[in-house]
Amino acid sequence: MSKETFFITTPIYYPSDKLHIGHTYCTVATDAIARYKRLRGYDVMFLTGTDEHGQKIEEKAKEAGVTPQAFVDKIVEGPGGILDLWKLMNISNDRFIRTTYDYHVAAIQRIFRKMYDNGDIYKGAYKGKYCTPCESFWTESQLVNGCCPDCGRPVHDAEEEAYFFRLSKYAKPVQDLLESGTFLEPASRVNEMINNFIKPGLEDLCVSRTSFKWGVPVDFDPGHVVYVWVDALFNYATALGYMNDRYKDFEKYWPPVNIVGKEIVRFHSIIWPAMLMSVGEPVPKKVYGHGWLVIDGGKMSKSKGNVVDPYLLADKFGVDALRFFLLRTFPFGSDGNFSNELLISTINTDLANDLGNLVSRTTAMIEKYFGGILPAARAADALDDELKTMIGELPEKYAAQMDVFQPHLALEEVFRVIQRANKYIDETAPWILAKDEANKPRLAEVMFNLVEALRISLICLTPFMPESCDKALAQIGAQSCRGWDDAVYGARSGEIRVRKGETLFPRLDMEKTLAELEAISLPAKAPTVKPVLPDVTIDEFAKCDMRVCKVLSCEAVKKSEKLLKFQLDDGSGTPRQILSGIHKFYEPEQLVGKTVVAILNLPPRKMMGQDSNGMLLSAVKEVDGKEELHLMILDDSVPVGSQLC
Ligand code: MSP
């Protein structure tokens, strides 16, 4: 009998820059689901790829002085590129599509013509607001504060002769589909789509461009290229051979489960099914819109200098620990706040303490008490019942969560068993049982239960940490008893051979590791802007007496490399002496006569034996790892003695 098929996809990523931890999160999650389905016996097709056309890529290639094709080739296939990243992360995709592949380009032309021939694409004129980075036209009413509702950047007026897709015609069937309850998940995203896009009225969609060249040409109207989202969305079909001869898998695997980030749910749950309805093909089984990884609550971005590099983390912590962390920590449907501290503490708690300890304690005890061979003669006790029940129930509970795309909850179930097993060691105290030869069968039972807790947990963990689970299963001698059907308590009979191996997940020193990460990530960082400090009240702020002062004199302090001594006119009539450590940035003569700002009501301090009554205000920032300082120098028209408020 042929196996049931399962087709799962990631979004195809823009090769406009290196991919970061957010993209890795999506691909790793999809990989874990694909591996889980294979474990369950499905014939899986797992597709990922790259979305290579569009104005943004054209512009970036121009900036780099290369052709768009050369530009994307390097990011996709070059060293340290996208293909290398997925190899490193142990991604088990069965196919990889690039939208610049000939077979895809030809198929998109046929698909476009098919929709034109059936009357769903027509020629018109487009006037609207265009967001270049998002490649999206918007209507005035969709803008947020006059900017792109997706990325918040400015839009510009654009008008061009263009082809339109009759999206409005599909408003009702798409709404019905969304309301069916299973097509789009999590459910919260359904209301968002209906209220924000369907209810205000679905307008026809502009599906061609004439303002740039880097795209799939409309073969019957030269000068027009196909809108990048039409080109991109159909990748899921062309990669199986839809409208092309490169592959022949469309009948076998269609329809897909599309895993996508929340920001592209609109394209996948409205435009995508409407276009499939137009060409007469079944809509996806499901679109799952996962949340985002954010940093300090905000978006990762190059300009903020907080883009997290998966290569660096995988190198430092190991691929499996990184994969595990991403899926254990963040609920898949919601946003998650990424931090290095969280990564390190997850590795320490779950992997080093709970799982790692269980593996090493169990294997060490079996070696010590039984020379590594666990005998078949065992004596059970009521004390074992709770753990045995939990082991027995684990596969079903785990599967129930995996089947609804909740990997973090599936892992929660596994770790409940692992934690219970660690507690069971303390309850049964094997080291006491081992003192009396007569207890051997009882001791063997305790060890057996630990091995079974591990074996079944490891089977469930394999989709998340394939390599580490292979190693751990080998340590407990379970290489040939690790299929889904083997995930049953007691599936092994006879003697069990165990061999303690390397420590799978070493414990990390939090402070030291954070410092090491900081050091290696420095070169990749843009200028760092310090986060805003905790709130102060207006009354607290008003307590700072900051005044405009004139520099009467300034000289270097003897024997100090840093200090300058200022006499200032603060408007009181009595000169005020302030010392400031800014000699590295200014020579005294540059500052005489300047209008500056000082805070006056700080407690007086002695510096190099001299009094300092206040502090000069400067603007300070770290640039390329070096501190840059600019004294606050005001326009001379600001009266001396003015208070800052
Ligand atoms: N090319 C389009 C998708 C076309 S699919 C037919 C695109 N590409 S993208 O490279 O910008 O982003 C693709 C996906 O990367 C997002 O949908 C999301 O799954 C993932 N992520 C990008 N940044 C992310 C985070 N910060 N966090 C989690 N996932 C993120 O959109």
Side-chain angles (χ1 to χ4, degrees):
M1 208 182 77
S2 63
K3 291 178 178 177
E4 202 178 325
T5 59
F6 181 75
F7 177 32
I8 189 162
T9 68
T10 72
I12 48 171
Y13 302 99
Y14 289 130
S16 49
D17 220 323
K18 286 190 146 209
L19 299 192
H20 57 58
I21 197 72
H23 307 107
T24 309
Y25 173 58
C26 178
T27 306
V28 165
T30 312
D31 183 63
I33 297 164
R35 286 175 181 270
Y36 160 72
K37 286 288 183 180
R38 290 191 198 105
L39 180 67
R40 297 299 309 270
Y42 285 81
D43 174 348
V44 172
M45 168 62 75
F46 169 19
L47 171 71
T48 185
T50 42
D51 182 1
E52 305 191 354
H53 291 126
Q55 191 168 5
K56 191 170 166 193
I57 301 266
E58 192 178 82
E59 282 168 4
K60 290 206 90 172
K62 204 167 162 199
E63 274 168 34
V66 295
T67 63
Q69 189 66 57
F71 181 83
V72 293
D73 283 351
K74 183 161 173 238
I75 294 187
V76 178
E77 296 186 356
I82 296 177
L83 287 178
D84 278 357
L85 178 62
W86 297 154
K87 205 165 154 196
L88 172 72
M89 293 307 300
N90 207 353
I91 302 303
S92 64
N93 57 302
D94 300 285
R95 202 157 287 173
F96 190 92
I97 183 168
R98 300 181 57 182
T99 53
T100 49
Y101 283 154
D102 289 348
Y103 79 84
H104 172 81
V105 170
I108 291 300
Q109 290 179 324
R110 290 180 200 120
I111 291 165
F112 198 87
R113 182 184 280 273
K114 183 167 180 175
M115 292 194 280
Y116 181 74
D117 288 346
N118 71 20
D120 275 351
I121 283 181
Y122 61 92
K123 200 171 193 176
Y126 195 88
K127 279 191 196 148
K129 305 283 178 187
Y130 192 66
C131 173
T132 307
C134 294
E135 323 250 7
S136 292
F137 267 104
W138 301 100
T139 59
E140 195 81 50
S141 64
Q142 287 172 322
L143 301 180
V144 176
N145 301 325
C147 292
C148 171
D150 270 358
C151 73
R153 280 177 273 213
V155 291
H156 62 270
D157 285 319
E159 179 176 349
E160 55 186 38
E161 183 192 72
Y163 287 91
F164 286 82
F165 172 67
R166 289 190 201 282
L167 189 57
S168 55
K169 174 176 152 188
Y170 294 96
K172 177 77 175 73
V174 169
Q175 180 165 355
D176 291 346
L177 179 66
L178 286 167
E179 286 171 344
S180 71
T182 54
F183 169 71
L184 174 61
E185 283 184 31
S188 56
R189 308 224 187 270
V190 173
N191 289 339
E192 202 183 312
M193 289 303 119
I194 292 181
N195 294 335
N196 297 353
F197 299 106
I198 308 258
K199 285 210 175 134
L202 215 45
E203 290 175 21
D204 288 352
L205 178 74
C206 180
V207 288
S208 76
R209 301 284 185 268
T210 49
S211 51
F212 61 91
K213 295 260 162 307
W214 184 239
V216 176
V218 175
D219 55 358
F220 55 87
D221 196 345
H224 288 260
V225 295
V226 174
Y227 175 40
V228 72
W229 271 99
V230 176
D231 171 2
L233 286 163
F234 272 101
N235 92 85
Y236 303 128
T238 62
L240 296 185
Y242 182 66
M243 295 270 191
N244 68 84
D245 294 330
R246 175 70 182 80
Y247 296 105
K248 304 248 174 302
D249 302 310
F250 187 75
E251 294 299 321
K252 183 173 175 191
Y253 289 106
W254 198 259
V257 168
N258 295 135
I259 306 288
V260 301
K262 63 176 186 178
E263 84 289 6
I264 55 172
V265 161
R266 176 173 79 95
F267 296 94
H268 282 81
S269 67
I270 297 177
I271 299 171
W272 177 219
M275 290 195 304
L276 284 169
M277 289 172 192
S278 169
V279 295
E281 299 299 342
V283 299
K285 248 188 241 165
K286 185 168 304 295
V287 171
Y288 193 95
H290 68 76
W292 271 26
L293 292 192
V294 295
I295 307 271
D296 298 326
K299 216 173 158 176
M300 252 179 262
S301 81
K302 229 180 160 184
S303 56
K304 283 194 211 161
N306 63 1
V307 175
V308 178
D309 180 2
Y311 275 103
L312 196 146
L313 296 182
D315 182 48
K316 183 94 198 123
F317 300 106
V319 168
D320 278 349
L322 181 58
R323 289 174 58 109
F324 173 81
F325 162 72
L326 291 172
L327 302 182
R328 162 78 161 140
T329 316
F330 309 112
F332 195 45
S334 334
D335 287 354
N337 216 340
F338 177 93
S339 77
N340 290 332
E341 286 87 341
L342 201 53
L343 169 56
I344 297 166
S345 70
T346 305
I347 293 176
N348 280 345
T349 310
D350 291 339
L351 297 182
N353 275 8
D354 291 351
L355 175 61
N357 262 342
L358 186 59
V359 174
S360 62
R361 288 168 93 188
T362 304
T363 51
M365 287 190 289
I366 296 175
E367 286 199 339
K368 186 167 172 198
Y369 304 139
F370 295 99
I373 302 173
L374 198 55
R378 301 190 298 265
D381 187 294
L383 193 61
D384 311 334
D385 291 351
E386 191 183 322
L387 177 63
K388 280 192 197 167
T389 307
M390 285 177 77
I391 300 171
E393 288 173 356
L394 176 59
E396 200 181 321
K397 287 187 170 171
Y398 159 90
Q401 299 298 352
M402 290 301 279
D403 287 338
V404 293
F405 308 96
Q406 298 290 287
H408 65 292
L409 294 180
L411 288 171
E412 187 64 48
E413 296 295 345
V414 178
F415 274 77
R416 245 180 233 140
V417 172
I418 291 173
Q419 283 151 8
R420 185 66 191 84
N422 274 318
K423 192 169 152 214
Y424 175 78
I425 299 183
D426 299 333
E427 290 167 350
T428 52
W431 48 93
I432 296 176
L433 291 174
K435 286 185 179 156
D436 185 347
E437 196 59 23
N439 288 333
K440 274 276 155 108
R442 176 68 196 130
L443 185 59
E445 174 72 14
V446 169
M447 292 300 121
F448 181 77
N449 289 335
L450 293 175
V451 168
E452 285 302 81
L454 265 177
R455 191 177 61 81
I456 291 166
S457 298
L458 288 167
I459 292 174
C460 296
L461 289 174
T462 302
F464 296 86
M465 299 188 285
E467 276 195 14
S468 308
C469 290
D470 280 356
K471 288 183 189 163
L473 283 161
Q475 290 192 23
I476 59 166
Q479 301 95 317
S480 56
C481 193
R482 50 173 303 177
W484 185 253
D485 292 342
D486 303 319
V488 178
Y489 175 85
R492 284 200 287 181
S493 53
E495 282 179 356
I496 291 170
R497 286 176 183 270
V498 167
R499 199 160 42 83
K500 190 168 162 42
E502 59 178 305
T503 303
L504 294 172
F505 304 103
R507 218 189 136 69
L508 302 161
D509 179 310
M510 173 70 83
E511 270 185 31
K512 191 169 149 252
T513 315
L514 283 175
E516 285 165 4
L517 274 180
E518 183 71 12
I520 47 182
S521 57
L522 260 187
K525 276 191 176 173
T528 44
V529 176
K530 287 194 182 157
V532 172
L533 297 173
D535 291 351
V536 291
T537 64
I538 189 76
D539 290 338
E540 285 168 325
F541 172 73
K543 286 183 193 161
C544 300
D545 193 351
M546 290 180 287
R547 305 278 180 116
V548 175
C549 302
K550 182 86 106 194
V551 179
L552 300 172
S553 69
C554 177
E555 61 183 87
V557 173
K558 282 193 194 114
K559 294 194 188 147
S560 167
E561 279 178 21
K562 287 203 263 174
L563 287 177
L564 291 179
K565 182 165 80 177
F566 292 84
Q567 299 298 333
L568 301 166
D569 175 5
D570 62 7
S572 66
T574 314
R576 174 180 290 265
Q577 176 166 302
I578 287 183
L579 275 79
S580 179
I582 59 173
H583 199 173
K584 202 166 91 186
F585 304 98
Y586 295 100
E587 289 306 320
E589 54 276 19
Q590 284 177 276
L591 299 175
V592 177
K594 295 285 188 228
T595 305
V596 296
V597 181
I599 172 162
L600 305 186
N601 59 340
L602 289 177
R605 282 178 70 186
K606 279 231 183 293
M607 299 162 93
M608 300 291 284
Q610 312 224 26
D611 285 332
S612 179
N613 300 302
M615 189 174 82
L616 292 179
L617 297 195
S618 301
V620 180
K621 191 176 179 197
E622 200 178 283
V623 178
D624 293 333
K626 274 202 215 131
E627 195 185 58
E628 259 188 32
L629 179 143
H630 295 267
L631 191 64
M632 301 303 296
I633 298 178
L634 303 184
D635 192 306
D636 285 336
S637 63
V638 186
V640 163
S642 311
Q643 198 157 18
L644 266 73
C645 53

mmCIF file with all atom_site columns, all heavy atoms in Angstrom, residues 487-504:
data_model
loop_
_atom_site.group_PDB
_atom_site.id
_atom_site.type_symbol
_atom_site.label_atom_id
_atom_site.label_alt_id
_atom_site.label_comp_id
_atom_site.label_asym_id
_atom_site.label_entity_id
_atom_site.label_seq_id
_atom_site.pdbx_PDB_ins_code
_atom_site.Cartn_x
_atom_site.Cartn_y
_atom_site.Cartn_z
_atom_site.occupancy
_atom_site.B_iso_or_equiv
_atom_site.pdbx_formal_charge
_atom_site.auth_seq_id
_atom_site.auth_comp_id
_atom_site.auth_asym_id
_atom_site.auth_atom_id
_atom_site.pdbx_PDB_model_num
ATOM 1   N N   . ALA A 1 487 ? 7.730  3.357   19.729 1.00 0.00 ? 487 ALA A N   1
ATOM 2   C CA  . ALA A 1 487 ? 7.575  4.301   20.840 1.00 0.00 ? 487 ALA A CA  1
ATOM 3   C C   . ALA A 1 487 ? 6.482  3.816   21.798 1.00 0.00 ? 487 ALA A C   1
ATOM 4   O O   . ALA A 1 487 ? 5.469  4.470   22.032 1.00 0.00 ? 487 ALA A O   1
ATOM 5   C CB  . ALA A 1 487 ? 7.257  5.696   20.304 1.00 0.00 ? 487 ALA A CB  1
ATOM 6   N N   . VAL A 1 488 ? 6.709  2.617   22.327 1.00 0.00 ? 488 VAL A N   1
ATOM 7   C CA  . VAL A 1 488 ? 5.758  1.969   23.235 1.00 0.00 ? 488 VAL A CA  1
ATOM 8   C C   . VAL A 1 488 ? 6.597  1.440   24.404 1.00 0.00 ? 488 VAL A C   1
ATOM 9   O O   . VAL A 1 488 ? 7.646  0.835   24.160 1.00 0.00 ? 488 VAL A O   1
ATOM 10  C CB  . VAL A 1 488 ? 5.077  0.761   22.526 1.00 0.00 ? 488 VAL A CB  1
ATOM 11  C CG1 . VAL A 1 488 ? 4.127  0.041   23.459 1.00 0.00 ? 488 VAL A CG1 1
ATOM 12  C CG2 . VAL A 1 488 ? 4.376  1.219   21.260 1.00 0.00 ? 488 VAL A CG2 1
ATOM 13  N N   . TYR A 1 489 ? 6.136  1.656   25.599 1.00 0.00 ? 489 TYR A N   1
ATOM 14  C CA  . TYR A 1 489 ? 6.884  1.161   26.771 1.00 0.00 ? 489 TYR A CA  1
ATOM 15  C C   . TYR A 1 489 ? 7.089  -0.348  26.641 1.00 0.00 ? 489 TYR A C   1
ATOM 16  O O   . TYR A 1 489 ? 6.137  -1.086  26.390 1.00 0.00 ? 489 TYR A O   1
ATOM 17  C CB  . TYR A 1 489 ? 6.122  1.488   28.065 1.00 0.00 ? 489 TYR A CB  1
ATOM 18  C CG  . TYR A 1 489 ? 6.793  0.896   29.293 1.00 0.00 ? 489 TYR A CG  1
ATOM 19  C CD1 . TYR A 1 489 ? 7.812  1.570   29.937 1.00 0.00 ? 489 TYR A CD1 1
ATOM 20  C CD2 . TYR A 1 489 ? 6.406  -0.351  29.784 1.00 0.00 ? 489 TYR A CD2 1
ATOM 21  C CE1 . TYR A 1 489 ? 8.449  1.022   31.050 1.00 0.00 ? 489 TYR A CE1 1
ATOM 22  C CE2 . TYR A 1 489 ? 7.028  -0.911  30.890 1.00 0.00 ? 489 TYR A CE2 1
ATOM 23  C CZ  . TYR A 1 489 ? 8.053  -0.212  31.515 1.00 0.00 ? 489 TYR A CZ  1
ATOM 24  O OH  . TYR A 1 489 ? 8.689  -0.760  32.605 1.00 0.00 ? 489 TYR A OH  1
ATOM 25  N N   . GLY A 1 490 ? 8.325  -0.796  26.796 1.00 0.00 ? 490 GLY A N   1
ATOM 26  C CA  . GLY A 1 490 ? 8.600  -2.238  26.777 1.00 0.00 ? 490 GLY A CA  1
ATOM 27  C C   . GLY A 1 490 ? 8.727  -2.832  25.385 1.00 0.00 ? 490 GLY A C   1
ATOM 28  O O   . GLY A 1 490 ? 8.683  -4.058  25.243 1.00 0.00 ? 490 GLY A O   1
ATOM 29  N N   . ALA A 1 491 ? 8.881  -1.994  24.358 1.00 0.00 ? 491 ALA A N   1
ATOM 30  C CA  . ALA A 1 491 ? 8.988  -2.543  22.996 1.00 0.00 ? 491 ALA A CA  1
ATOM 31  C C   . ALA A 1 491 ? 10.246 -3.399  22.817 1.00 0.00 ? 491 ALA A C   1
ATOM 32  O O   . ALA A 1 491 ? 10.346 -4.160  21.870 1.00 0.00 ? 491 ALA A O   1
ATOM 33  C CB  . ALA A 1 491 ? 8.972  -1.410  21.963 1.00 0.00 ? 491 ALA A CB  1
ATOM 34  N N   . ARG A 1 492 ? 11.206 -3.254  23.735 1.00 0.00 ? 492 ARG A N   1
ATOM 35  C CA  . ARG A 1 492 ? 12.416 -4.072  23.632 1.00 0.00 ? 492 ARG A CA  1
ATOM 36  C C   . ARG A 1 492 ? 12.353 -5.225  24.635 1.00 0.00 ? 492 ARG A C   1
ATOM 37  O O   . ARG A 1 492 ? 11.926 -5.027  25.770 1.00 0.00 ? 492 ARG A O   1
ATOM 38  C CB  . ARG A 1 492 ? 13.649 -3.229  23.974 1.00 0.00 ? 492 ARG A CB  1
ATOM 39  C CG  . ARG A 1 492 ? 14.022 -2.313  22.857 1.00 0.00 ? 492 ARG A CG  1
ATOM 40  C CD  . ARG A 1 492 ? 15.451 -1.882  22.984 1.00 0.00 ? 492 ARG A CD  1
ATOM 41  N NE  . ARG A 1 492 ? 15.662 -0.935  24.063 1.00 0.00 ? 492 ARG A NE  1
ATOM 42  C CZ  . ARG A 1 492 ? 16.868 -0.416  24.323 1.00 0.00 ? 492 ARG A CZ  1
ATOM 43  N NH1 . ARG A 1 492 ? 17.918 -0.782  23.624 1.00 0.00 ? 492 ARG A NH1 1
ATOM 44  N NH2 . ARG A 1 492 ? 17.010 0.454   25.287 1.00 0.00 ? 492 ARG A NH2 1
ATOM 45  N N   . SER A 1 493 ? 12.816 -6.374  24.200 1.00 0.00 ? 493 SER A N   1
ATOM 46  C CA  . SER A 1 493 ? 12.867 -7.479  25.168 1.00 0.00 ? 493 SER A CA  1
ATOM 47  C C   . SER A 1 493 ? 14.296 -8.006  25.236 1.00 0.00 ? 493 SER A C   1
ATOM 48  O O   . SER A 1 493 ? 15.129 -7.655  24.398 1.00 0.00 ? 493 SER A O   1
ATOM 49  C CB  . SER A 1 493 ? 11.890 -8.582  24.743 1.00 0.00 ? 493 SER A CB  1
ATOM 50  O OG  . SER A 1 493 ? 12.168 -8.924  23.416 1.00 0.00 ? 493 SER A OG  1
ATOM 51  N N   . GLY A 1 494 ? 14.547 -8.847  26.208 1.00 0.00 ? 494 GLY A N   1
ATOM 52  C CA  . GLY A 1 494 ? 15.885 -9.426  26.358 1.00 0.00 ? 494 GLY A CA  1
ATOM 53  C C   . GLY A 1 494 ? 16.861 -8.442  26.978 1.00 0.00 ? 494 GLY A C   1
ATOM 54  O O   . GLY A 1 494 ? 16.470 -7.444  27.589 1.00 0.00 ? 494 GLY A O   1
ATOM 55  N N   . GLU A 1 495 ? 18.153 -8.740  26.807 1.00 0.00 ? 495 GLU A N   1
ATOM 56  C CA  . GLU A 1 495 ? 19.209 -7.905  27.383 1.00 0.00 ? 495 GLU A CA  1
ATOM 57  C C   . GLU A 1 495 ? 19.310 -6.574  26.641 1.00 0.00 ? 495 GLU A C   1
ATOM 58  O O   . GLU A 1 495 ? 19.059 -6.510  25.448 1.00 0.00 ? 495 GLU A O   1
ATOM 59  C CB  . GLU A 1 495 ? 20.558 -8.600  27.219 1.00 0.00 ? 495 GLU A CB  1
ATOM 60  C CG  . GLU A 1 495 ? 20.808 -9.694  28.205 1.00 0.00 ? 495 GLU A CG  1
ATOM 61  C CD  . GLU A 1 495 ? 22.163 -10.347 27.947 1.00 0.00 ? 495 GLU A CD  1
ATOM 62  O OE1 . GLU A 1 495 ? 22.854 -9.978  26.962 1.00 0.00 ? 495 GLU A OE1 1
ATOM 63  O OE2 . GLU A 1 495 ? 22.507 -11.225 28.729 1.00 0.00 ? 495 GLU A OE2 1
ATOM 64  N N   . ILE A 1 496 ? 19.714 -5.550  27.387 1.00 0.00 ? 496 ILE A N   1
ATOM 65  C CA  . ILE A 1 496 ? 19.900 -4.239  26.748 1.00 0.00 ? 496 ILE A CA  1
ATOM 66  C C   . ILE A 1 496 ? 21.336 -3.801  26.985 1.00 0.00 ? 496 ILE A C   1
ATOM 67  O O   . ILE A 1 496 ? 21.801 -3.770  28.126 1.00 0.00 ? 496 ILE A O   1
ATOM 68  C CB  . ILE A 1 496 ? 18.898 -3.223  27.335 1.00 0.00 ? 496 ILE A CB  1
ATOM 69  C CG1 . ILE A 1 496 ? 17.483 -3.606  26.891 1.00 0.00 ? 496 ILE A CG1 1
ATOM 70  C CG2 . ILE A 1 496 ? 19.250 -1.801  26.917 1.00 0.00 ? 496 ILE A CG2 1
ATOM 71  C CD1 . ILE A 1 496 ? 16.390 -2.838  27.569 1.00 0.00 ? 496 ILE A CD1 1
ATOM 72  N N   . ARG A 1 497 ? 22.026 -3.509  25.905 1.00 0.00 ? 497 ARG A N   1
ATOM 73  C CA  . ARG A 1 497 ? 23.438 -3.091  26.020 1.00 0.00 ? 497 ARG A CA  1
ATOM 74  C C   . ARG A 1 497 ? 23.543 -1.582  25.977 1.00 0.00 ? 497 ARG A C   1
ATOM 75  O O   . ARG A 1 497 ? 23.008 -0.940  25.061 1.00 0.00 ? 497 ARG A O   1
ATOM 76  C CB  . ARG A 1 497 ? 24.267 -3.671  24.869 1.00 0.00 ? 497 ARG A CB  1
ATOM 77  C CG  . ARG A 1 497 ? 24.517 -5.126  25.042 1.00 0.00 ? 497 ARG A CG  1
ATOM 78  C CD  . ARG A 1 497 ? 25.252 -5.745  23.869 1.00 0.00 ? 497 ARG A CD  1
ATOM 79  N NE  . ARG A 1 497 ? 25.367 -7.171  24.133 1.00 0.00 ? 497 ARG A NE  1
ATOM 80  C CZ  . ARG A 1 497 ? 26.385 -7.712  24.783 1.00 0.00 ? 497 ARG A CZ  1
ATOM 81  N NH1 . ARG A 1 497 ? 27.379 -6.969  25.200 1.00 0.00 ? 497 ARG A NH1 1
ATOM 82  N NH2 . ARG A 1 497 ? 26.410 -9.014  25.009 1.00 0.00 ? 497 ARG A NH2 1
ATOM 83  N N   . VAL A 1 498 ? 24.238 -1.054  26.966 1.00 0.00 ? 498 VAL A N   1
ATOM 84  C CA  . VAL A 1 498 ? 24.336 0.392   27.123 1.00 0.00 ? 498 VAL A CA  1
ATOM 85  C C   . VAL A 1 498 ? 25.808 0.788   27.171 1.00 0.00 ? 498 VAL A C   1
ATOM 86  O O   . VAL A 1 498 ? 26.623 0.062   27.737 1.00 0.00 ? 498 VAL A O   1
ATOM 87  C CB  . VAL A 1 498 ? 23.628 0.794   28.441 1.00 0.00 ? 498 VAL A CB  1
ATOM 88  C CG1 . VAL A 1 498 ? 23.947 2.218   28.837 1.00 0.00 ? 498 VAL A CG1 1
ATOM 89  C CG2 . VAL A 1 498 ? 22.130 0.598   28.301 1.00 0.00 ? 498 VAL A CG2 1
ATOM 90  N N   . ARG A 1 499 ? 26.139 1.930   26.546 1.00 0.00 ? 499 ARG A N   1
ATOM 91  C CA  . ARG A 1 499 ? 27.524 2.374   26.595 1.00 0.00 ? 499 ARG A CA  1
ATOM 92  C C   . ARG A 1 499 ? 27.561 3.891   26.792 1.00 0.00 ? 499 ARG A C   1
ATOM 93  O O   . ARG A 1 499 ? 27.039 4.637   25.977 1.00 0.00 ? 499 ARG A O   1
ATOM 94  C CB  . ARG A 1 499 ? 28.242 1.994   25.305 1.00 0.00 ? 499 ARG A CB  1
ATOM 95  C CG  . ARG A 1 499 ? 29.766 2.011   25.455 1.00 0.00 ? 499 ARG A CG  1
ATOM 96  C CD  . ARG A 1 499 ? 30.428 1.176   24.362 1.00 0.00 ? 499 ARG A CD  1
ATOM 97  N NE  . ARG A 1 499 ? 29.797 1.397   23.062 1.00 0.00 ? 499 ARG A NE  1
ATOM 98  C CZ  . ARG A 1 499 ? 30.111 2.424   22.261 1.00 0.00 ? 499 ARG A CZ  1
ATOM 99  N NH1 . ARG A 1 499 ? 31.033 3.274   22.610 1.00 0.00 ? 499 ARG A NH1 1
ATOM 100 N NH2 . ARG A 1 499 ? 29.502 2.562   21.102 1.00 0.00 ? 499 ARG A NH2 1
ATOM 101 N N   . LYS A 1 500 ? 28.148 4.287   27.909 1.00 0.00 ? 500 LYS A N   1
ATOM 102 C CA  . LYS A 1 500 ? 28.221 5.724   28.200 1.00 0.00 ? 500 LYS A CA  1
ATOM 103 C C   . LYS A 1 500 ? 29.107 6.386   27.147 1.00 0.00 ? 500 LYS A C   1
ATOM 104 O O   . LYS A 1 500 ? 30.156 5.869   26.798 1.00 0.00 ? 500 LYS A O   1
ATOM 105 C CB  . LYS A 1 500 ? 28.821 5.920   29.594 1.00 0.00 ? 500 LYS A CB  1
ATOM 106 C CG  . LYS A 1 500 ? 28.720 7.342   30.101 1.00 0.00 ? 500 LYS A CG  1
ATOM 107 C CD  . LYS A 1 500 ? 29.058 7.383   31.583 1.00 0.00 ? 500 LYS A CD  1
ATOM 108 C CE  . LYS A 1 500 ? 29.395 8.784   32.067 1.00 0.00 ? 500 LYS A CE  1
ATOM 109 N NZ  . LYS A 1 500 ? 28.581 9.869   31.585 1.00 0.00 ? 500 LYS A NZ  1
ATOM 110 N N   . GLY A 1 501 ? 28.662 7.534   26.646 1.00 0.00 ? 501 GLY A N   1
ATOM 111 C CA  . GLY A 1 501 ? 29.456 8.217   25.613 1.00 0.00 ? 501 GLY A CA  1
ATOM 112 C C   . GLY A 1 501 ? 29.801 9.629   26.030 1.00 0.00 ? 501 GLY A C   1
ATOM 113 O O   . GLY A 1 501 ? 29.745 9.974   27.210 1.00 0.00 ? 501 GLY A O   1
ATOM 114 N N   . GLU A 1 502 ? 30.117 10.426  25.016 1.00 0.00 ? 502 GLU A N   1
ATOM 115 C CA  . GLU A 1 502 ? 30.492 11.825  25.282 1.00 0.00 ? 502 GLU A CA  1
ATOM 116 C C   . GLU A 1 502 ? 29.320 12.582  25.925 1.00 0.00 ? 502 GLU A C   1
ATOM 117 O O   . GLU A 1 502 ? 28.157 12.199  25.759 1.00 0.00 ? 502 GLU A O   1
ATOM 118 C CB  . GLU A 1 502 ? 30.856 12.501  23.958 1.00 0.00 ? 502 GLU A CB  1
ATOM 119 C CG  . GLU A 1 502 ? 29.681 12.455  22.995 1.00 0.00 ? 502 GLU A CG  1
ATOM 120 C CD  . GLU A 1 502 ? 29.933 13.159  21.666 1.00 0.00 ? 502 GLU A CD  1
ATOM 121 O OE1 . GLU A 1 502 ? 30.298 14.338  21.661 1.00 0.00 ? 502 GLU A OE1 1
ATOM 122 O OE2 . GLU A 1 502 ? 29.715 12.502  20.628 1.00 0.00 ? 502 GLU A OE2 1
ATOM 123 N N   . THR A 1 503 ? 29.653 13.643  26.657 1.00 0.00 ? 503 THR A N   1
ATOM 124 C CA  . THR A 1 503 ? 28.599 14.509  27.213 1.00 0.00 ? 503 THR A CA  1
ATOM 125 C C   . THR A 1 503 ? 27.931 15.217  26.041 1.00 0.00 ? 503 THR A C   1
ATOM 126 O O   . THR A 1 503 ? 28.601 15.860  25.229 1.00 0.00 ? 503 THR A O   1
ATOM 127 C CB  . THR A 1 503 ? 29.228 15.550  28.164 1.00 0.00 ? 503 THR A CB  1
ATOM 128 O OG1 . THR A 1 503 ? 29.936 14.831  29.155 1.00 0.00 ? 503 THR A OG1 1
ATOM 129 C CG2 . THR A 1 503 ? 28.174 16.434  28.810 1.00 0.00 ? 503 THR A CG2 1
ATOM 130 N N   . LEU A 1 504 ? 26.617 15.069  25.957 1.00 0.00 ? 504 LEU A N   1
ATOM 131 C CA  . LEU A 1 504 ? 25.943 15.603  24.770 1.00 0.00 ? 504 LEU A CA  1
ATOM 132 C C   . LEU A 1 504 ? 25.806 17.121  24.811 1.00 0.00 ? 504 LEU A C   1
ATOM 133 O O   . LEU A 1 504 ? 25.975 17.799  23.809 1.00 0.00 ? 504 LEU A O   1
ATOM 134 C CB  . LEU A 1 504 ? 24.562 14.962  24.632 1.00 0.00 ? 504 LEU A CB  1
ATOM 135 C CG  . LEU A 1 504 ? 24.582 13.469  24.332 1.00 0.00 ? 504 LEU A CG  1
ATOM 136 C CD1 . LEU A 1 504 ? 23.189 12.885  24.398 1.00 0.00 ? 504 LEU A CD1 1
ATOM 137 C CD2 . LEU A 1 504 ? 25.193 13.223  22.949 1.00 0.00 ? 504 LEU A CD2 1
#
